[in-house]
Amino acid sequence: MSSDSLCHWIRPTKGVEMENSGIADAPFRKSSFSAPDAGCVEVGVSSGRILVRDTKDRGGAVLAFTEYEWNAFVRGVQAGEFDLPL
């Protein structure tokens, strides 16, 4: 498996790096199901990658997935593969 197909963290150390990576301009969105003050993540798209970040730390690390990886994750969620036992 190539490193291109693996998700990875994008950890900004300087504002310039965030701007150059395209993440600073990526439109992120938060689920309408999340509570206003609860911990949540946001999802965005930039340079063909699906980006996930912590809503409370928008300038922090970002997890980046390929489209294939993101679709596999979403299909797993829809199939109940990540449901917590009750």
Side-chain angles (χ1 to χ4, degrees):
M1 190 179 262
S2 75
S3 62
D4 231 17
S5 66
L6 300 174
C7 65
H8 63 280
W9 285 101
I10 301 170
R11 295 186 187 276
T13 55
K14 298 179 182 174
V16 173
E17 290 177 16
M18 281 293 278
E19 291 171 12
N20 290 342
S21 68
I23 294 172
D25 298 328
F28 280 84
R29 61 182 181 222
K30 186 170 79 166
S31 170
S32 60
F33 290 101
S34 54
D37 296 329
C40 193
V41 295
E42 299 175 327
V43 177
V45 177
S46 178
S47 301
R49 297 282 185 173
I50 311 303
L51 309 172
V52 180
R53 69 180 180 189
D54 184 343
T55 301
K56 297 182 303 288
D57 187 16
R58 291 185 170 133
V62 176
L63 188 59
F65 296 92
T66 65
E67 186 177 347
Y68 175 82
E69 292 164 334
W70 182 254
N71 288 333
F73 172 71
V74 170
R75 285 191 307 271
V77 169
Q78 291 170 335
E81 293 177 15
F82 303 104
D83 290 354
L84 299 175
L86 298 178

